[in-house]
Structure formats: C-alpha cells, structure tokens
C-alpha cells in the first residue's frame, strides 16, 4: 500500500523521513515537535535547525534524523487556524506537497507525517485530515512513495480511515 494511516508515535516509524510540525524559527517546541527533538537528540537537532534558521509557513526544510530510525527529518510550518479565511487550507496543502517533493528530491522511498497544524495551531482535525489525504493522493498520482499519516490517537486514526474510504482511496 502506498498510503497508510497508522496510530502511534511518529518517532518510532521506520521510514526514510519523518515530518516535524515545526514553528517558523525551527526552535524546539511542544507536542510532535518536542517529541521529535527529544527522540532525535535535542542538542544535535537544535544545532542543525539553528544553522538553517527559518522556514516560512507552507514550506519545508530538511535535517538529518540523528538518533531516530528515520534518515531525515523534514520540518514544515503549518498555518495557525484563524477561521479559514486566511489561506489556511492552501498553506496546509503546501506543507504536505513541499515535504513530499523534498523527500523525493532526497531519494526517500517512504515518509511519515503527523497531522500538521491540528494541535496547538488549532486547525480542525477533520479538515486537516481531508487536506492531508488530498495532498498525498495528488502526489501519489505522479510519484511512487510509501506514505504514512501517523495519528497520535485512535479517534484521529479512525477519522482518517473514514475520510480515505469516502474519498475512494485504498487504505
């Protein structure tokens, strides 16, 4: 299967790259970002991110995976939800497509995403899953890659599976 929704800790996923839901300063944060920094090796990843310095919303940058099972960490900055009228959907879609292109450009055969922007950035989960599924599906029409969407909880994983099924995309 090229696209699979899994429930679990993204830092444990065996993929060529995992995606960090980053902030624009690429600074250590909470949630997924904090978990990735801790699992990768805080000092090494902080140093690598500081060397890059910044990432715009909707864009993606790459660092080594350090102590993670993944070779790379792709950092992408999702939009903060402001009610839907500030191009949030377009920016969120860009997070997925930019990350997928960056992974492909670096020879990755597999990638794992968290549900970007759905935590402290406030993007509604259902909408975030729909954007993720559509962006990943669009990419997979053109390129081959194994893609995981790592849901933090069972509720989100079930929502993702339902949206995949409703969109007639193989689970």
């Amino acid at each position: 299967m090229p696209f699979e929704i899994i429930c679990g800790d993204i830092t444990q996923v065996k993929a060529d790259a995992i995606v960090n839901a980053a902030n624009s300063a690429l600074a250590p944060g909470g949630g997924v970002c904090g978990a990735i920094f801790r699992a990768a090796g805080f000092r090494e990843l902080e140093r690598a991110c500081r060397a890059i310095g910044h990432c715009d919303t909707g864009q993606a940058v790459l660092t080594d995976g350090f102590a993670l099972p993944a070779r790379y960490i792709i950092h992408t900055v999702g939009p903060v939800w402001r009610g839907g009228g500030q191009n949030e959907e377009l920016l969120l879609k860009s997070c997925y497509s930019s990350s997928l292109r960056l992974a492909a450009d670096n020879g990755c055969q597999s990638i794992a995403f968290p549900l970007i922007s759905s935590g402290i950035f406030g993007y509604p989960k259902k909408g975030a899953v729909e954007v993720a599924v559509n962006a990943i599906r669009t990419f997979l029409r053109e390129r081959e890659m194994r893609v995981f969407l790592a849901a933090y909880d069972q509720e989100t994983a079930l929502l993702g599976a339902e949206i995949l099924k409703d969109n007639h995309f193989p689970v």
Side-chain angles (χ1 to χ4, degrees):
M1 299 263 164
F3 184 21
E4 186 177 347
I5 295 181
I6 58 175
C7 184
D9 180 354
I10 194 168
T11 67
Q12 301 302 310
V13 176
K14 291 181 179 16
D16 294 330
I18 68 166
V19 177
N20 178 25
N23 54 64
S24 61
L26 302 174
V32 169
C33 183
I36 290 173
F37 267 82
R38 286 188 299 278
F42 191 91
R43 285 191 177 106
E44 294 87 350
L45 184 52
E46 184 181 35
R47 194 174 309 122
C49 286
R50 205 172 325 128
I52 296 168
H54 180 82
C55 183
D56 289 330
T57 302
Q59 298 305 304
V61 296
L62 180 133
T63 64
D64 286 336
F66 301 103
L68 291 169
R71 184 172 31 160
Y72 300 115
I73 302 167
I74 295 175
H75 308 264
T76 190
V77 182
V80 173
W81 179 256
R82 299 187 194 289
Q86 304 290 316
N87 288 324
E88 294 98 329
E89 184 176 340
L90 215 76
L91 289 166
L92 185 56
K93 181 181 180 190
S94 181
C95 288
Y96 288 96
S97 29
S98 296
S99 297
L100 287 161
R101 279 193 312 274
L102 188 56
D105 290 349
N106 283 277
C108 295
Q109 298 297 309
S110 58
I111 186 171
F113 285 94
L115 191 55
I116 299 166
S117 284
S118 69
I120 63 168
F121 282 14
Y123 207 105
K125 278 190 184 183
K126 184 174 190 268
V129 173
E130 289 170 343
V131 170
V133 166
N134 289 328
I136 292 166
R137 180 176 59 196
T138 298
F139 176 84
L140 291 175
R141 283 188 194 126
E142 305 284 323
R143 310 280 291 263
E144 197 170 310
M145 188 179 291
R146 184 164 179 114
V147 181
F148 300 96
L149 183 60
Y152 183 73
D153 58 42
Q154 191 67 37
E155 179 186 335
T156 304
L158 291 171
L159 175 63
E162 182 181 309
I163 289 170
L164 273 177
K165 183 179 164 196
D166 289 347
N167 281 284
H168 309 293
F169 197 73
V171 180

